[in-house]
Amino acid sequence: MSSQQHAPNFSLAGKVTVVTGASRGIGRACALACAAAGSDIVLGVRVPAKAGDLVAEIEAMGRKALAVELDIPNKDHIAGLIKTAVDAFGRIDVLVNNVGVAPGDLAERVEESAVDEILNINIKGTFLMTQAVARHMITRKQGRIISISSQAGTNALRGEAIYCMSKAAINHLTRCLAAEWAEHGITVNTVSPTFIHTDGTQRYLAEAENYKATVDHIPLGRIGETSDVTGVVVFLASPAASLITGANLLVDGGWSVA
């Protein structure tokens, strides 16, 4: 057996990847990283017309890209995205669930509307998107589903009780779906980042007190970069991770074990 047969394969060449919430932050970075690994990309975004630069960036890598309207958990949007992807590329090999919201407040002050928003988008939306794509994958007897969760699903964060609950639910849902869909050749995993430098965290981390308090919680001593997350996503989507399912991979710099 040659040394090449022993080497892990991290390539996504010839794959088709759907990334939701792809317009910015971790979602955008995941789309670019999967494209760099060889995959064509379907971008689930609220306003496709605003994703032209991202489409162009992916196409400059020699990959194909489509921006499709997606407002989670709108079932018509979900169905439309899947139809568009299959019509254009013939299949969906990888789904990266990245849509989520996190309006925080102390538990005693949380409004019912905030509870509804978080559960509707983070839990219901993730499930409906995953279910719809999995139905397609089941017919093909293969697929990779990766949900961007959070360290909040493992750790107790003050002022984030409902968000923490939603991410803990996604982590366990992942285990349940992994058990159900393994017989169809589908792997289901989550990636749980700590604080990552993105547009969404920029304002919070710009305050010196917040930055220091956050870094002090991270044993490795730094805020994460999107590349810290996308490396794990590409790994889970690749043949190198073919025996991993039902896992929650923490990208938290050690926060959960400190």
Side-chain angles (χ1 to χ4, degrees):
M1 186 177 290
S2 71
S3 60
Q4 286 186 336
Q5 289 174 296
H6 288 289
N9 179 5
F10 299 104
S11 173
L12 300 185
K15 301 298 184 183
V16 178
T17 300
V18 171
V19 181
T20 70
S23 62
R24 63 177 189 159
I26 290 174
R28 181 187 180 95
C30 285
L32 291 169
C34 289
S39 181
D40 294 325
I41 308 293
V42 179
L43 307 164
V45 294
R46 283 191 175 183
V47 186
K50 294 183 178 180
D53 61 332
L54 179 55
V55 169
E57 195 169 348
I58 292 169
E59 290 178 341
M61 299 180 191
R63 307 313 318 155
K64 297 176 182 176
L66 284 175
V68 183
E69 183 180 13
L70 181 66
D71 189 8
I72 294 288
N74 186 310
K75 290 184 71 174
D76 290 337
H77 284 196
I78 292 170
L81 181 144
I82 293 170
K83 184 178 186 305
T84 298
V86 174
D87 287 349
F89 297 115
R91 68 193 186 283
I92 297 170
D93 298 296
V94 181
L95 168 64
V96 180
N97 285 310
N98 178 63
V99 172
V101 294
D105 203 348
L106 294 177
E108 66 270 23
R109 298 203 303 241
V110 173
E111 298 286 344
E112 183 178 359
S113 59
V115 177
D116 290 342
E117 180 186 17
I118 293 172
L119 302 188
N120 191 47
I121 294 174
N122 294 12
I123 299 179
K124 179 181 177 180
T126 298
F127 174 73
L128 291 179
M129 186 73 207
T130 302
Q131 178 192 53
V133 172
R135 286 170 174 163
H136 163 75
M137 291 178 170
I138 285 169
T139 65
R140 301 184 60 240
K141 293 295 182 181
Q142 61 181 328
R144 302 294 173 86
I145 296 170
I146 304 157
S147 294
I148 304 300
S149 184
S150 169
Q151 67 178 13
T154 302
N155 303 307
L157 303 181
R158 188 174 184 271
E160 301 287 351
I162 310 307
Y163 179 68
C164 289
M165 176 175 69
S166 74
K167 291 303 185 178
I170 291 304
N171 293 348
H172 195 58
L173 174 65
T174 291
R175 291 169 55 83
C176 294
L177 299 181
E180 285 195 28
W181 294 339
E183 65 183 272
H184 302 295
I186 301 169
T187 67
V188 191
N189 295 288
T190 54
V191 178
S192 293
T194 185
F195 283 83
I196 303 295
H197 282 298
T198 66
D199 294 342
T201 61
Q202 182 178 8
R203 185 173 180 179
Y204 176 81
L205 293 174
E207 297 185 22
E209 183 178 346
N210 292 340
Y211 188 93
K212 183 180 185 306
T214 302
V215 170
D216 285 348
H217 268 96
I218 302 174
L220 288 181
R222 68 176 177 88
I223 305 299
E225 304 296 336
T226 55
S227 59
D228 294 312
V229 181
T230 60
V232 181
V233 170
V234 170
F235 165 63
L236 289 174
S238 76
S242 62
L243 201 61
I244 299 176
T245 195
N248 175 34
L249 299 189
L250 283 154
V251 185
D252 69 348
W255 184 306
S256 61
V257 296

